[in-house]
Amino acid sequence: MNIMVLGSGGREHTLVWKISQSPKAEKIYAVPGNPGMKKYAECVAGVDIEDNDAIVKLAQEKNIDLVVVGPEVPLVNGVVDALTAAGIKAFGPSKDAAMLEGSKVYSKVIMRRYGIPTAKSETFNNIGRAHVYVRQMRQPFAIKADGLAAGKGVILTKTVDEAIDAIDTIMQDKAFGDAGKSIVIEEFMEGEEASVLCFTDGETIVPMVSSQDHKRVNDGDEGLNTGGMGAYAPAPVMTPEMMERVKKEILVPVIEGMKKEGHPYKGCLYAGLMITAKGPKVVEFNARFGDPETQVVLPLLKSDIVDIMLACIDGTLSEQKIEWSDGAAACVIMASGGYPEHYEKGKEITGIEDAEALGALVVHAGTKEDGGKLVTNGGRVLGVVAEADDIKGAIDKAYAGVKKIHFDGVHYRHDIAHRALERLAK
């Protein structure tokens, strides 16, 4: 099969790496791809992945049998619908189904309608009314831009003044562009976060190994929210009993609900969760693989991912036997100094081969080639991924790889998987 993967980040690098292990993958194209993907795929630059017509045309020219959509924007733009209409199989939800991620407001409506546990919230498209609300209600809050904001459209506030500033930042200053025309203000949930991704064909639901992301930029979960500074899998907080509750109380109702809405959901659904004293509650839904969760979940998948993706598209997922490793995986993100705010690009990267010699998978997230050198080209630059029999072994191996890689201003957290290690030490 000729397979095309849309995207250029660490998630897409991991998808390309995993797809390359399938006997069905004869030729892989990455659009636009990145330098790390060249080991497995032909990178095609100069095509806008947010232009549905251009993607369909390219898929036809390359005789593509399967398109795998990495990022959320093409999904919300309806690229799967466009490819399907052209007779090309595409892994991912339709435009209407992708609104679970495309609009926080819509997602909350669906959760309320189908009894899915989540934080209490109110929606606002008027700054003044939002100000009045936060002055009347008990803090703290999570204040969210309605639309897509690259995983950064959430501001946590502890005081009324912080809440007012957050509302103004999103709605008045347009920190997240048009994504902030409307906002969701929700109660702050106490608990431990976890991520559960699942494969689904709109009927059958197969949860993946649980994982936990680290959103804050600094050690000790301090500092600004980011796209993710690291992850590990499985997450000990997600016991077998808790996973069963997540499937029964969250995954099944949302997939059945989307079917009732007339927008059957096919592809990968990501449930960002808070495990509270009362059980699991939804923080957010994403309409695709998470980043950096993908980097730790897919290494533990023993089955052929291409077979699974085709089954999701064809409605035959119930016929698939999906197997997972009993081990663990960890990913440490190496970011540019100053991320997620201002940072410099163009810093030379060295030592990747040395890290790989230790058995790490080095995933490119924000790199480019410049004059024969590999240089930084984004906030999150690399993800160093390692597998082992247990989480401590995986994290130790990942950090050993991190120490081999160098670029000016490199920033990374030193405490990835701290919650898991504390929990396992008890």
Side-chain angles (χ1 to χ4, degrees):
M1 294 180 71
N2 292 331
I3 300 173
M4 188 163 82
V5 178
L6 303 184
S8 62
R11 164 186 47 227
E12 291 80 26
H13 185 156
T14 310
L15 283 164
V16 165
W17 167 78
K18 194 66 185 179
I19 289 166
S20 73
Q21 297 170 12
S22 171
K24 287 187 168 62
E26 296 174 46
K27 175 77 176 180
I28 305 173
Y29 295 91
V31 186
N34 66 38
M37 296 189 209
K38 289 183 176 179
K39 194 182 294 185
Y40 318 100
E42 178 182 327
C43 295
V44 182
V47 178
D48 183 0
I49 64 171
E50 296 178 19
D51 182 338
N52 293 349
D53 291 340
I55 293 301
V56 170
K57 182 181 177 186
L58 180 64
Q60 290 170 334
E61 289 173 355
K62 301 292 187 184
N63 295 312
I64 298 298
D65 301 295
L66 171 65
V67 177
V68 178
V69 187
E72 59 274 21
V73 175
L75 291 168
V76 172
N77 285 350
V79 72
V80 169
D81 308 66
L83 288 161
T84 302
I88 300 164
K89 293 191 176 190
F91 179 82
S94 67
K95 179 177 182 175
D96 289 336
M99 287 308 290
L100 273 178
E101 176 171 9
S103 169
K104 297 282 194 306
V105 174
Y106 177 80
S107 182
K108 284 289 188 182
V109 168
I110 292 296
M111 284 188 265
R112 284 197 196 102
R113 189 171 291 164
Y114 295 101
I116 297 165
T118 188
K120 293 177 183 175
S121 67
E122 293 292 338
T123 299
F124 297 90
N125 54 22
N126 178 283
I127 292 177
R129 288 176 182 166
H131 286 176
V132 170
Y133 179 78
V134 296
R135 286 193 175 103
Q136 292 175 340
M137 303 301 290
R138 194 175 71 182
Q139 302 287 333
F141 288 117
I143 300 178
K144 302 179 177 182
D146 172 45
L148 299 177
K152 304 183 188 75
V154 180
I155 302 175
L156 303 178
T157 65
K158 296 179 180 178
T159 67
V160 170
D161 287 345
E162 287 181 3
I164 297 291
D165 286 345
I167 292 164
D168 291 347
T169 296
I170 297 173
M171 299 188 78
Q172 185 171 289
D173 302 341
K174 299 188 182 299
F176 308 112
D178 288 344
K181 284 182 177 178
S182 297
I183 60 171
V184 172
I185 302 178
E186 65 179 36
E187 65 176 355
F188 181 81
M189 292 188 285
E190 294 283 353
E192 185 171 342
E193 287 195 62
S195 303
V196 174
L197 291 74
C198 70
F199 293 111
T200 180
D201 60 3
E203 296 278 353
T204 299
I205 300 166
V206 180
M208 303 185 208
V209 173
S210 66
S211 58
Q212 189 173 80
D213 184 13
H214 297 63
K215 284 288 186 190
R216 298 300 187 104
V217 70
N218 294 324
D219 288 3
D221 298 312
E222 298 289 337
L224 295 172
N225 260 359
T226 71
M229 292 300 295
Y232 63 92
V237 69
M238 289 302 303
T239 61
E241 295 78 18
M242 189 62 69
M243 184 66 94
E244 194 56 40
R245 283 191 67 179
V246 168
K247 184 172 182 181
K248 181 181 177 182
E249 298 173 22
I250 295 168
L251 299 180
V252 169
V254 73
I255 295 301
E256 288 184 348
M258 291 304 288
K259 186 180 174 186
K260 289 175 184 174
E261 294 291 313
H263 310 309
Y265 191 103
K266 294 185 176 186
C268 169
L269 178 67
Y270 167 117
L273 307 171
M274 187 68 75
I275 309 305
T276 73
K278 294 181 179 179
K281 293 186 177 184
V282 176
V283 175
E284 65 177 354
F285 285 121
N286 289 337
R288 35 72 191 182
F289 286 95
D291 188 346
E293 292 93 341
T294 305
Q295 288 88 306
V296 294
V297 170
L298 289 191
L300 301 177
L301 176 62
K302 293 167 68 175
S303 303
D304 188 325
I305 194 169
V306 175
D307 283 341
I308 297 169
M309 288 176 166
L310 291 172
C312 288
I313 296 165
D314 295 339
T316 58
L317 190 59
S318 63
E319 299 170 18
Q320 290 287 314
K321 185 183 179 185
I322 300 178
E323 296 183 299
W324 300 89
S325 165
D326 291 329
C331 173
V332 179
I333 296 295
M334 301 183 73
S336 297
Y339 173 78
E341 294 186 299
H342 305 292
Y343 53 86
E344 295 180 356
K345 299 180 182 180
K347 307 295 185 182
E348 185 178 1
I349 303 166
T350 60
I352 288 178
E353 297 83 1
D354 296 331
E356 291 174 335
L358 296 178
L361 169 66
V362 180
V363 173
H364 293 233
T367 69
K368 73 172 183 178
E369 290 168 330
D370 184 11
K373 296 178 180 179
L374 185 70
V375 300
T376 65
N377 192 44
R380 292 188 296 173
V381 178
L382 299 169
V384 182
V385 181
E387 294 177 69
D389 291 338
D390 57 29
I391 288 170
K392 186 175 189 310
I395 202 66
D396 288 348
K397 192 173 173 182
Y399 276 115
V402 165
K403 288 172 184 173
K404 295 290 184 181
I405 300 172
H406 306 279
F407 56 87
D408 286 347
V410 62
H411 169 74
Y412 58 88
R413 283 184 55 163
H414 302 79
D415 64 346
I416 300 302
H418 67 90
R419 288 190 192 84
L421 298 177
E422 289 162 8
R423 186 178 286 271
L424 294 171
K426 291 179 182 177

